[in-house]
Amino acid sequence: MAKVFNDPIHGHIELHPLLVKIIDTPQFQRLRNIKQLGGVYFVYPGASHNRFEHSIGVAHLAGELAKALKVKQLEQIKPLEELKELKELKKLKKLKPEYLEQLKKLQNLTPQDLKELQELMPEDLDKLKKLQNSKLEDFEKLKAEELEDLEKLVELENLDFTKLEKLKKLQNSKSEGLEELNPEDKKMLQRFKPKDVEKFEKLERLDELKKSLISDQDVLCVQIAGLCHDLGHGPFSHFFDGMFMDAIKRDKKGKADKEVTDNEKWTHEKASIEMFKHLLDQNGLKEVMKKYGLKVDEDGTDLVFIEEMIKKPQDEKPQNDAAQDNEHQNNDASKKWPYKGREEKKSFLYEIVSNKNTGIDVDKFDYFARDCHHLGIPNSFDHQRFVMFARVCDVEEDRKKTKHICSRDKESANLYDIFQQRLSIHRRACQHKIKMAVEIMLKDALILVDDHPDFKIKSSKGEMLNISQANGDMEAYTKLTDHVFERILHYQEGRKEPSSEEERKKEQDLEQAREILQRVEEERKKEQDLEQAREILKRVMERDLYRCVGQAKNVTLTYNMGNEKSITKEYSYDKENSKTPEDKKKEKKEALEKIKEDLEGKLSECSPDDKFEVIDVTLDYGMENDDPLIKAYFYRKDNPDKGEPIPKSDVFSVLPDWFSDEMLRVYWKNPKELTDEQIKTKEEEFKKVFNDWCKENGYKDLNKEVPSAGRATSGNE
C-alpha cells in the first residue's frame, strides 16, 4: 500500500508501496544518521537534515518529472493517432515516400506555375536543365526560335530545377503515384499544404514515438534510483569519500596491496550500487519487485537500469595502444551506446536522477531547496517551473537523432540560476573556512583511531575491519555512520591496560614475554592515539578549532572557454600533451600536491614543532570552467518537438567569461594549551611566511578575511 509522507520541502507526497518497502530496511534507515552537509552543522545550527529525507525527496521529484514528461509524450502522440483516421491522409498512403516529398514541394508553387508545369513535355524540362548548365557562348549557337522557346520557359515564377526534375519523374509515372488517382482525388490533394504532408510524415514516426514512450516500469525504476542514489555515503557524507579517504590514500601511498587499489577506485556512487544489491538480498525484495512487473532475473534489465542511473558505466576503451592514440577511433568508440538497461530510444531517462551532461537533475533540485531551507538562505531556483516546461525532444547530435530532456528557449537564462544557486551554497556553506577546520580535525581524529581494536567493525565474513576498510563490506558499512563521532568522544574510560608484570607471570618463556611486551607497547600507543582523538573532538565541541592562517588566489591563472590554466610558473603541467580530460585532471592534481607540500614545508621551517594542512578550494558551476549549459538543448514554441542549443550570446549579456574560481587555504593545527596572545603572535609570524610564499609563486594573499586570534565562533565568517 502506498504511503503519504509530510515533507517540509515538498509537502504531502505519496510513494509507491515498493519504495516504502525499501525505506523500511536497516540499510536505508542508516541514512537517518548521516548528515547531508557534514561539518556544516557545526557552523549553521539549522543544517541538521540527513541523507534520509533528501533521498525521499529525490525519489518524489524523479517520479514527478518522469510523469510530467510522459504526459507531454502522450500529448505529442494523440494528434498523430487522430491523423490515422483522416480520410484524406488515408489516400496519401497510396503514394510512395518520394512522391510525398514531391507533393510537398509542389505546394510551394503558385496555381499558375503548377498549371504551366503540367503542360510541359519531358523534352521541355530537358531544355530547362540544359539552360541551367549552359554558358554564354552556348546561347550564341542557338537558333532564334530556340531562344524564344527558352524565354517562355524561364518566365515561370520561383522556379528551381530540383522541383522540375522531381516533377518530371512525377509526370512519367504511369502505374503508381499521382497518375493513379482520379480527377476528384487530385483536386483534393491540391488543397493540401506542406504542413499537411509533414503531419503525414510524422505518422511514419508514430511507432518510434511509442517505443520511446515512458512506461509505468520506467517511472518506478527512476523513483527507485532517486531513492537509493545516496545509499553509499559514509559518515558526514562527502567528508568520508573526500577528505578522509584522500588522507588514507596518502598515508598508504606506495604500498602495492589490494586495499590501496580498492581505495583508489572507490566512490560513494559505487558503494550506493553495492549497498542497493545488499539491501535487496538481505530483505528479499527482488520477489516484491517482480510482483510490480520489474525484470530482476538473469536478464534483469530493470536492475541494471537502476544501477546505471546511479552511476554511469565506464565507457569501453579501445583494446590496443594504437587505437588509443588515434583520435578518430576514440571518437567512434565514444559514440557507442554505453548503457544496457534501456535502449538509446529512451536515453533521456538517464538525465532525470543524475545528469552527467548538464548537471540539471532532480538530485540538485531537492538539495537546493532542502539545504537552503535548513541553512536559512534564499533559493532562487524554482524546480516546479522547470518540470512544467520540460519535454522530450529530438536533437541532431553526431549526425543522428537522439532524445534529450529539453526546456523552453525562454527559460535559458533562468537555468543559470541552478548553477548560481549551487555556487552560493558551496561558497557560503560547503566551503566555509570554519566548516573546513572542523572536518580537518574530524579527519585527524578518525585517522588516529582507524585501526584501534575497539573501533573495528565486524564484516560479513567475521573479519574485524578498520574504519577505512568498512566500505568494502556492506554489512560492516551499514554500521558506520556519524555515530562514530560520539563513540570516540564518549569512549569508556577505566579500561584495564595490560600489565607487563602480569604477563610475565603468566608466561614463563622469555621469547613469549618479549612478544607480550611488544603487544603491550602497541596497545599503549593505540590508547594514546585514542586519547588524542578524543581531545580533538572535545575541542570541536568547545569551538577551539584549528586556525585558518592564510587564503590565496592564483593570479597567474589564464581563463578561457578551453579551460586552460597554468598552476604556477614553477609547478605548471603540460596541457598540450595531456591525452584525455582524466589525464589533465590527474596532472593538475599532482601539480597542486607539489604546491601544497612546498607551502607546508615553508611553514614548517618557520616553526618545526607546529603542524599545518593546506587544502585547495574550488568554487564553480559544477562543470569546472565549462559553461554548464553548453550541452543543454531547448525547444521553441513553434517547434516543440525539436531541441537545439542556444548560443551564450543569445541568453544573457552579463554571464561570466569563466565559470570557476580556485584558492588555497592554510590551517594551523594550533596546540590547545596556547593562550590567545601566543596564538596571535604565532599567527602573525605564519602570515608573513605565507605572504612571502604567495609573492614568490604568483598568488594573491587574501589574509584580510582571516580572524586574527581567539576561538572560532559563529561570527568568524
Side-chain angles (χ1 to χ4, degrees):
M1 183 176 178
K3 279 191 176 180
V4 175
F5 293 75
N6 186 9
D7 183 72
I9 306 303
H10 308 299
H12 288 84
I13 58 180
E14 184 177 17
L15 293 183
H16 190 280
L18 179 55
L19 302 186
V20 177
K21 289 280 187 183
I22 293 173
I23 291 170
D24 293 338
T25 62
Q27 292 76 22
F28 191 87
Q29 291 292 321
R30 163 182 178 269
L31 298 180
R32 289 184 184 272
N33 301 311
I34 296 178
K35 290 283 184 293
Q36 171 82 6
L37 293 178
V40 174
Y41 183 43
F42 290 91
V43 181
Y44 287 87
S48 59
H49 55 304
N50 303 306
R51 290 280 161 185
F52 179 84
E53 50 264 41
H54 165 64
S55 297
I56 291 175
V58 174
H60 164 68
L61 289 180
E64 291 298 297
L65 180 54
K67 291 171 187 175
L69 293 173
K70 182 178 180 179
V71 168
K72 294 185 180 72
Q73 282 184 314
L74 291 172
E75 291 174 353
Q76 186 181 6
I77 288 174
K78 186 178 178 181
L80 297 182
E81 292 280 10
E82 293 173 351
L83 284 175
K84 287 170 64 177
E85 304 305 318
L86 289 179
K87 182 178 179 181
E88 291 83 355
L89 286 181
K90 284 183 179 179
K91 295 197 174 187
L92 280 177
K93 288 184 180 179
K94 297 179 182 179
L95 300 179
K96 286 187 173 183
E98 56 265 30
Y99 294 134
L100 285 173
E101 183 63 26
Q102 292 165 25
L103 179 62
K104 182 177 169 184
K105 295 203 179 256
L106 280 171
Q107 303 302 323
N108 293 323
L109 300 176
T110 66
Q112 182 63 27
D113 290 338
L114 188 59
K115 182 181 178 183
E116 294 186 24
L117 283 171
Q118 287 172 342
E119 294 172 355
L120 289 176
M121 299 297 289
E123 54 267 26
D124 295 321
L125 295 172
D126 288 335
K127 287 179 184 178
L128 277 172
K129 190 171 182 181
K130 183 178 178 182
L131 177 65
Q132 182 188 32
N133 300 320
S134 296
K135 299 178 182 178
L136 182 61
E137 55 268 23
D138 296 328
F139 291 109
E140 295 174 353
K141 298 175 184 177
L142 293 176
K143 296 178 181 179
E145 57 270 19
E146 290 177 325
L147 284 172
E148 187 177 346
D149 288 342
L150 286 177
E151 286 175 3
K152 289 180 181 179
L153 287 174
V154 297
E155 286 175 357
L156 297 176
E157 280 188 29
N158 301 322
L159 196 59
D160 71 50
F161 293 92
T162 57
K163 291 174 185 173
L164 289 173
E165 182 65 24
K166 291 182 183 293
L167 181 64
K168 179 179 177 181
K169 291 178 182 176
L170 197 67
Q171 288 181 325
N172 289 336
S173 159
K174 300 297 182 184
S175 60
E176 51 188 343
L178 290 178
E179 294 298 325
E180 283 187 342
L181 301 177
N182 57 46
E184 185 180 342
D185 288 337
K186 283 186 178 180
K187 191 174 180 182
M188 178 272 296
L189 286 174
Q190 287 178 350
R191 295 198 301 268
F192 272 86
K193 297 179 181 178
K195 64 180 181 181
D196 296 319
V197 182
E198 288 173 5
K199 285 180 183 177
F200 182 77
E201 290 172 338
K202 286 181 181 178
L203 281 177
E204 297 180 344
R205 294 179 52 239
L206 185 57
D207 290 339
E208 178 191 337
L209 289 172
K210 285 184 175 179
K211 287 178 182 178
S212 68
L213 181 64
I214 299 172
S215 67
D216 291 341
Q217 285 74 23
D218 292 335
V219 174
L220 185 54
C221 287
V222 167
Q223 287 177 307
I224 294 171
L227 187 69
C228 299
H229 78 288
D230 274 348
L231 284 176
H233 271 296
F236 298 95
S237 292
H238 289 290
F239 157 80
F240 186 82
D241 56 299
M243 187 179 289
F244 175 68
M245 291 306 297
D246 284 347
I248 292 293
K249 293 171 192 175
R250 285 197 300 271
D251 288 348
K252 297 183 178 181
K253 195 172 183 181
K255 297 180 182 178
D257 58 20
K258 185 176 183 299
E259 181 190 340
V260 176
T261 304
D262 290 345
N263 281 339
E264 288 289 342
K265 296 179 179 178
W266 184 82
T267 63
H268 80 266
E269 290 91 353
K270 285 185 179 180
S272 293
I273 292 174
E274 293 303 314
M275 185 65 81
F276 176 60
K277 293 177 180 177
H278 180 67
L279 180 153
L280 296 180
D281 292 339
Q282 293 296 308
N283 299 279
L285 290 184
K286 286 186 178 179
E287 291 301 318
V288 182
M289 295 176 79
K290 285 183 187 178
K291 176 184 171 184
Y292 291 106
L294 299 185
K295 297 178 182 178
V296 296
D297 293 325
E298 291 182 2
D299 65 337
T301 52
D302 288 329
L303 274 182
V304 173
F305 177 43
I306 293 167
E307 292 170 12
E308 289 174 338
M309 283 189 284
I310 294 172
K311 186 182 188 305
K312 179 180 178 180
Q314 295 295 320
D315 293 334
E316 294 181 11
K317 295 182 179 179
Q319 295 180 356
N320 55 69
D321 294 336
Q324 289 182 0
D325 294 333
N326 189 298
E327 183 178 356
H328 179 69
Q329 290 187 32
N330 276 342
N331 287 340
D332 289 344
S334 66
K335 293 175 185 176
K336 185 177 179 181
W337 181 240
Y339 299 99
K340 297 178 181 178
R342 289 295 184 271
E343 295 181 356
E344 196 167 2
K345 296 182 185 73
K346 294 190 175 183
S347 56
F348 58 90
L349 291 174
Y350 291 97
E351 300 173 358
I352 294 176
V353 175
S354 178
N355 190 336
K356 301 302 182 185
N357 291 325
T358 64
I360 303 172
D361 51 51
V362 295
D363 180 25
K364 287 186 180 63
F365 296 172
D366 183 83
Y367 87 66
F368 286 169
R370 198 172 301 276
D371 290 356
C372 288
H373 173 79
H374 289 279
L375 290 168
I377 62 179
N379 177 20
S380 62
F381 177 68
D382 183 359
H383 62 266
Q384 292 177 327
R385 183 177 176 87
F386 176 88
V387 172
M388 290 182 68
F389 281 105
R391 64 186 296 123
V392 177
C393 301
D394 289 325
V395 175
E396 289 287 343
E397 198 173 45
D398 296 328
R399 291 177 293 182
K400 65 178 181 179
K401 283 187 178 180
T402 54
K403 293 189 180 295
H404 288 281
I405 298 175
C406 300
S407 193
R408 180 70 188 281
D409 53 349
K410 67 177 183 178
E411 293 298 299
S412 55
N414 294 335
L415 288 189
Y416 278 100
D417 287 344
I418 298 176
F419 306 100
Q420 187 61 44
Q421 190 64 53
R422 180 188 184 277
L423 179 65
S424 177
I425 292 173
H426 275 257
R427 179 177 57 82
R428 299 170 70 173
C430 299
Q431 303 292 348
H432 194 289
K433 63 177 177 291
I434 302 300
K435 174 258 188 185
M436 299 302 291
V438 169
E439 290 192 348
I440 291 171
M441 297 177 79
L442 180 56
K443 178 260 299 179
D444 288 348
L446 286 182
I447 287 177
L448 286 168
V449 301
D450 182 44
D451 59 351
H452 192 283
D454 290 344
F455 291 91
K456 288 182 178 288
I457 306 171
K458 191 174 182 179
S459 73
S460 56
K461 297 178 181 178
E463 300 172 340
M464 301 306 292
L465 302 178
N466 294 351
I467 292 173
S468 60
Q469 297 171 327
N471 56 25
D473 184 278
M474 291 303 108
E475 186 171 321
Y477 200 46
T478 303
K479 305 167 191 172
L480 184 60
T481 66
D482 291 3
H483 285 162
V484 67
F485 183 102
E486 302 294 329
R487 285 187 61 208
I488 299 171
L489 185 64
H490 302 301
Y491 182 73
Q492 293 293 329
E493 295 183 356
R495 291 174 67 254
K496 185 179 179 182
E497 296 186 11
S499 165
S500 57
E501 293 298 327
E502 291 176 1
E503 297 294 348
R504 285 194 185 94
K505 289 177 184 177
K506 291 178 184 177
E507 305 292 342
Q508 300 298 321
D509 186 89
L510 180 60
E511 187 61 33
Q512 229 175 359
R514 285 176 180 170
E515 290 177 3
I516 292 167
L517 285 172
Q518 185 177 356
R519 266 201 319 272
V520 169
E521 187 59 34
E522 289 174 358
E523 288 294 325
R524 185 178 294 113
K525 173 66 169 60
K526 283 183 170 56
E527 293 303 315
Q528 290 173 350
D529 288 345
L530 174 58
E531 187 58 33
Q532 189 178 349
R534 289 179 62 205
E535 286 299 320
I536 290 173
L537 296 188
K538 283 181 181 178
R539 289 182 63 181
V540 171
M541 300 303 290
E542 295 169 0
R543 303 287 290 181
D544 182 15
L545 307 177
Y546 294 162
R547 307 297 295 171
C548 179
V549 295
Q551 296 184 107
K553 284 186 180 180
N554 189 336
V555 295
T556 65
L557 295 183
T558 56
Y559 294 87
N560 59 40
M561 294 310 292
N563 201 22
E564 298 291 331
K565 300 184 181 183
S566 61
I567 301 299
T568 67
K569 57 186 178 183
E570 188 176 354
Y571 298 108
S572 61
Y573 62 96
D574 190 350
K575 298 181 286 294
E576 296 298 328
N577 293 329
S578 298
K579 294 182 181 179
T580 66
E582 289 73 21
D583 290 337
K584 290 182 180 181
K585 287 181 182 178
K586 183 178 178 181
E587 291 177 16
K588 179 181 175 180
K589 185 176 181 180
E590 289 173 353
L592 282 169
E593 288 299 323
K594 291 179 183 178
I595 291 172
K596 291 192 280 189
E597 287 174 11
D598 179 66
L599 179 52
E600 288 176 13
K602 293 287 185 184
L603 291 164
S604 295
E605 289 176 10
C606 169
S607 182
D609 295 333
D610 287 298
K611 294 181 179 179
F612 303 88
E613 183 152 343
V614 180
I615 63 171
D616 56 289
V617 176
T618 300
L619 298 171
D620 59 31
Y621 275 35
M623 295 286 180
E624 295 186 350
N625 196 40
D626 291 333
D627 182 347
L629 293 191
I630 199 169
K631 294 181 180 179
Y633 298 100
F634 302 85
Y635 64 88
R636 302 186 185 280
K637 187 176 181 179
D638 57 353
N639 193 2
D641 298 334
K642 181 182 178 182
E644 55 189 6
I646 291 184
K648 182 181 170 184
S649 58
D650 293 350
V651 180
F652 203 43
S653 59
V654 294
L655 290 175
D657 290 327
W658 59 86
F659 295 86
S660 69
D661 201 0
E662 298 175 356
M663 68 172 70
L664 292 179
R665 280 197 191 134
V666 181
Y667 287 88
W668 167 39
K669 301 180 180 182
N670 51 303
K672 184 178 181 180
E673 61 273 8
L674 295 181
T675 64
D676 284 354
E677 191 60 37
Q678 290 173 318
I679 290 174
K680 183 176 180 180
T681 302
K682 277 185 168 282
E683 273 192 339
E684 292 300 326
E685 185 180 356
F686 299 148
K687 286 178 182 179
K688 185 179 184 308
V689 174
F690 179 70
N691 186 266
D692 292 341
W693 181 91
C694 288
K695 291 177 181 177
E696 293 173 4
N697 290 275
Y699 277 82
K700 180 181 179 182
D701 188 354
L702 305 176
N703 259 331
K704 294 178 181 179
E705 300 296 326
V706 180
S708 59
R711 298 184 178 184
T713 66
S714 300
N716 289 142
E717 298 185 17

